Each structure stands twice: as C-alpha cells, then as structure tokens.
Amino acid sequence: MITDQYLLSPMLASEVQPVKILLVDDKPENLVSLESLLFKEEEGVTYLCAESGEEALKIALQEELALILLDVQMPGMNGYEVARYLRNISKTRDIPIIFVTAIDEQDTHVMEGFEAGAVDFLFKPLHPYITKAKVSAFVKFFLQRKALEKANHLTLKMNQELEARVKERTKELIKVNRDLDNFVYTASHDLKAPINNIEALMIALEETLHQPEFDKDEVANLLNMVNHSVSRFKATLLDLTEIAKVQYEAETGKGKVSFKEIFNDVKLHIKDLIESSNAKITVDFSQAPDITFSRKNLRSILYNLLSNSIKYRSPERSPEIEVKTKTIDGFTLLTVRDNGLGLRQQDHEKVFGMFQRLHRHVEGTGVGLAIVKNIVENCDGKIEFESEVGKGSVFKVYLK
C-alpha cells in the first residue's frame, strides 16, 4: 500500500535544495485550507500565497518556484491570463502550473487550461491523496532538475579546470622542452671549449716532454693550465647539474626560513670575497623576517645575488650592497641593490641566460642568475632587473 509519507518523501531532499510552492486564490480561506492540506514540518517546503493574479506574477518574478497551484476563477486577472503571462516571460515559462478549479470537468475548460500553459488540473473539492501525490511528483521533478543542473554546472566547472590544467601543463612542458633544448645546446657548446683547451694543452705538453732537454718550468706551467682547465670543466658540469635539478625540483623541502639566518650562512661562505673586496653589506629584514620556502633554494638565490654584486664591482669604489625584504601584493619581495659596474640597456635581456658572461674579466661560468631565475619562476614567483652603467644594479625577487 502506498502511503502519504512515501508520496511526499522527495520533499525531504529540500534540506539541500530550497523548495518553494506558490498557492494562488482570491479567497484567503482557500489558501489556508490548501496549505494545511499540504504542509508537513519535516518536508521543508515553503508555501507562498497570493490573493490575485497580479500578486502571483510579482512573486513568480522574484522567487524560484518549484510549482504553482493556480485558481482559475479570480476577479480581475483570471488563472488562464496569469498562466499566459508566465509563459511569455523567460524566467517563469518553465514553472509547472496546476490549475485548481471548481468548474465542471469539461473538455473545453481543460483544453483552454492546457493551451494557457497548465501541466495538470485539480478539481474541487480536492482529494487529499490525489493532491499530495501530484504535488509530490512535481516537487520530485524539481529536485531532480536542480540536481541535474548542479551536476551539469559542476561538470562544466571541472571541464574548465581540467582544460586550464591541461593548458598550463602543456605550457610547462613546452617550457621544459625549450629549456632542455637550450640545456643540450649550451652543454654541448660550453663543454667544447674546456675539452679543446685541455686537448691543446696535452699536445703542447707531449711535444715539450719529447724534447731532448725540456724546460721544467714550462712543463709545470702547462700542467697548471691543464689543472685549471680541468677545474673549469668540472665546475661547468656541476653548474649544468644544478640547472637540471632546478628545472625539476620546484618545491623541495619547504618550511619556515629566516632571511637573517640564510644571509649569515651565505656571508660566512663568501667571507674571503667580502674581505678582499672591502665590501659593505647592509640588511633590513624587519618588514619580512621569514618566509615559507625551500631553505636550499633561498640560500642559492641569496648566494648568487650577493656574490655577483661583489664580483662585478666597480674598480673605482668599494662595493656597497643593500639587502632588504618586505611583503607586497601576496609576495615577499627580496631586493638586492649594489653600486657595481652596471650593464648597458641592450644587455639587460641577456642577464638571466645560461652561460651568459657579460663582463669577461670576471671568473665564472655564467649560470648563477639562470639558476636564480629558474628557482623563482618554478615557485610561481618573478624576478626583475634594473641597471645603469657606472652606477650599479638592482634585483627584485618576488617570492610566493
């Protein structure tokens, strides 16, 4: 046996989706009677009431309705006219309408009702079981439709997110492929020089040793040059390894890191360079004393920026370097400013290129700033560079 509770069970889903039903009748006592017939506390359905066609149109435009129970015979605008108006408005044309009428169940009245936009009829006196069953069916249909709309919305959102992720991943893969192409090219190109140099030195050494009476000082000099070339070769290999690691290790070992602690560690490591150049370094980490970041990567950033500021100092003055941090627009901004040689405007774009050495008189492989840039960008940050010949340079590192 089917019970009223079974018939109205779909209404329980209204805990998730609000369900509103509009009751329209010009007689208040009929509205009270119909609401009493349908109302149950556990159903979670809200019943809105209108005593005229005009009031019903106003409510229908303001609320999202699951169903309208509409009296046919009303003074002024009757039920058929209200239904026709609702069908002509995009916001309300899909609301199901059940006509509630005391008119005899004649074909002409029923046909006129369906032509006006009705989906069903209830004839007075209302049968409680039939009335509840029909209302329950339309509430269930409304809840299913809203669930489907929600599922479609979530599916669309997931598809959009997936497309965005695919697009971003494709962009990353293109960048990685480009970096790998550059890596292979620069590796093959820059490893040729030390290999050719070692080869030439070994030939010269062999020729010298085959002489009846060779100069020991000349042999020692050639050996020193070979050792130097081997050291350069090993340094280049280490730098290449570091670049490869940076490209694939975006967020290794993230944790809360103190700028002052990392700075002191770097300062100790380049102590000889600081003392030999008589460099003066001032720091201000008061506005952003720490950051959640990879300790290893932050040390690499500070090490490369500070050592470069000292290496590329002006011969006319002692290096003065200013290091400070602050928060801005969701980033921690690390600024390193120096009074070094500076660069010409046309060389600014080359600063972060692999194996770019824009001041040939300074020892180095030219990968430090490329490493810094890769670290920063792999962590969704950015780096900016300003420089002027003879005045110095400024690096602004924005870290997430």
Side-chain angles (χ1 to χ4, degrees):
M1 177 179 179
I2 300 176
T3 64
D4 289 349
Q5 182 180 3
Y6 174 80
L7 290 169
L8 293 175
S9 60
M11 297 184 186
L12 296 176
S14 63
E15 294 174 3
V16 178
Q17 172 64 47
V19 178
K20 297 179 182 179
I21 297 176
L22 176 60
L23 311 178
V24 187
D25 198 302
D26 62 301
K27 297 179 180 179
E29 61 272 20
N30 289 345
L31 293 174
V32 172
S33 175
L34 183 55
E35 184 176 357
S36 298
L37 173 65
L38 297 172
F39 180 78
K40 279 189 176 182
E41 290 185 5
E42 69 271 13
E43 293 167 1
V45 178
T46 301
Y47 295 95
L48 308 175
C49 296
E51 296 182 11
S52 67
E54 291 81 359
E55 187 181 357
L57 289 175
K58 183 177 180 181
I59 293 174
L61 289 170
Q62 292 175 344
E63 303 286 349
E64 183 178 25
L65 301 174
L67 176 66
I68 299 176
L69 272 65
L70 179 59
D71 184 35
V72 173
Q73 295 175 299
M74 294 187 296
M77 183 181 290
N78 64 37
Y80 296 149
E81 291 173 320
V82 173
R84 291 190 184 97
Y85 271 105
L86 292 173
R87 289 294 167 266
N88 289 329
I89 302 172
S90 60
K91 184 179 186 298
T92 58
R93 65 166 55 105
D94 294 325
I95 303 173
I97 298 172
I98 297 178
F99 280 126
V100 181
T101 180
I103 302 175
D104 293 338
E105 190 174 348
Q106 299 176 2
D107 289 345
T108 54
H109 296 306
V110 173
M111 289 299 295
E112 184 179 3
F114 283 124
E115 288 175 0
V119 295
D120 206 345
F121 273 85
L122 285 170
F123 294 96
K124 297 178 181 179
L126 298 177
H127 189 292
Y129 177 85
I130 294 175
T131 302
K132 292 177 181 180
K134 289 188 175 183
V135 170
S136 176
F138 282 104
V139 169
K140 182 177 181 180
F141 171 75
F142 172 79
L143 292 173
Q144 289 174 340
R145 180 167 61 83
K146 297 307 293 183
L148 183 60
E149 288 176 1
K150 184 176 180 180
N152 287 338
H153 176 73
L154 289 174
T155 301
L156 178 61
K157 185 178 179 182
M158 288 173 64
N159 285 339
Q160 290 173 341
E161 291 176 352
L162 182 60
E163 287 177 5
R165 288 173 62 186
V166 169
K167 189 178 294 185
E168 184 64 27
R169 184 58 179 160
T170 301
K171 183 180 176 181
E172 290 176 2
L173 288 173
I174 291 173
K175 180 181 180 297
V176 168
N177 285 335
R178 191 186 302 117
D179 286 345
L180 286 174
D181 288 342
N182 292 335
F183 179 82
V184 171
Y185 171 78
T186 53
S188 61
H189 178 271
D190 284 78
L191 288 176
K192 283 179 182 178
I195 290 174
N196 291 338
N197 193 30
I198 292 171
E199 184 179 26
L201 288 171
M202 291 303 296
I203 291 172
L205 180 60
E206 184 179 10
E207 290 176 351
T208 301
L209 290 174
H210 278 85
Q211 293 175 7
E213 294 183 4
F214 58 82
D215 188 341
K216 291 184 180 180
D217 291 336
E218 183 179 354
V219 171
N221 185 46
L222 286 171
L223 286 173
N224 286 334
M225 293 172 66
V226 169
N227 288 330
H228 179 71
S229 295
V230 170
S231 297
R232 288 291 305 277
F233 183 77
K234 290 168 65 177
T236 302
L237 284 177
L238 287 173
D239 287 334
L240 287 171
T241 304
E242 188 65 25
I243 291 174
K245 286 168 61 180
V246 167
Q247 289 175 352
Y248 293 99
E249 296 178 4
E251 295 188 9
T252 54
K254 289 181 67 174
K256 192 172 184 180
V257 187
S258 164
F259 279 103
K260 184 177 180 181
E261 180 185 344
I262 298 298
F263 169 76
N264 288 336
D265 181 41
V266 171
K267 187 178 178 182
L268 182 64
H269 191 78
I270 60 173
K271 179 181 177 182
D272 293 341
L273 185 60
I274 294 173
E275 291 178 353
S276 63
S277 63
N278 197 28
K280 180 182 178 183
I281 305 175
T282 58
V283 298
D284 181 6
F285 301 128
S286 60
Q287 295 187 50
D290 47 50
I291 185 175
T292 300
F293 205 75
S294 163
R295 175 181 295 273
K296 170 181 171 292
N297 287 344
L298 185 59
R299 186 187 184 283
S300 182
I301 291 171
L302 267 175
Y303 173 82
N304 281 292
L305 293 181
L306 285 175
S307 59
N308 272 16
S309 292
I310 299 175
K311 285 180 182 178
Y312 299 105
R313 60 187 178 273
S314 171
E316 301 174 358
R317 53 187 175 270
S318 297
E320 293 182 3
I321 304 165
E322 179 186 79
V323 184
K324 61 181 180 179
T325 57
K326 68 177 181 178
T327 55
I328 179 171
D329 298 331
F331 289 89
T332 296
L333 172 59
L334 168 66
T335 303
V336 179
R337 182 187 304 271
D338 65 53
N339 65 339
L341 291 169
L343 285 175
R344 299 174 301 172
Q345 184 67 37
Q346 58 265 38
D347 290 332
H348 285 196
E349 293 183 0
K350 302 176 184 177
V351 167
F352 299 106
M354 282 195 291
F355 299 101
Q356 292 288 344
R357 295 182 59 208
L358 301 176
H359 294 291
R360 293 290 174 178
H361 67 282
V362 178
E363 280 290 322
T365 56
V367 299
L369 292 180
I371 291 174
V372 170
K373 186 172 186 291
N374 280 355
I375 290 174
V376 173
E377 291 183 350
N378 285 343
C379 296
D380 298 322
K382 60 181 179 178
I383 184 167
E384 297 175 352
F385 173 70
E386 300 170 9
S387 187
E388 187 175 346
V389 174
K391 292 190 176 180
S393 303
V394 182
F395 287 91
K396 294 181 179 180
V397 182
Y398 293 83
L399 301 173
K400 275 287 186 180

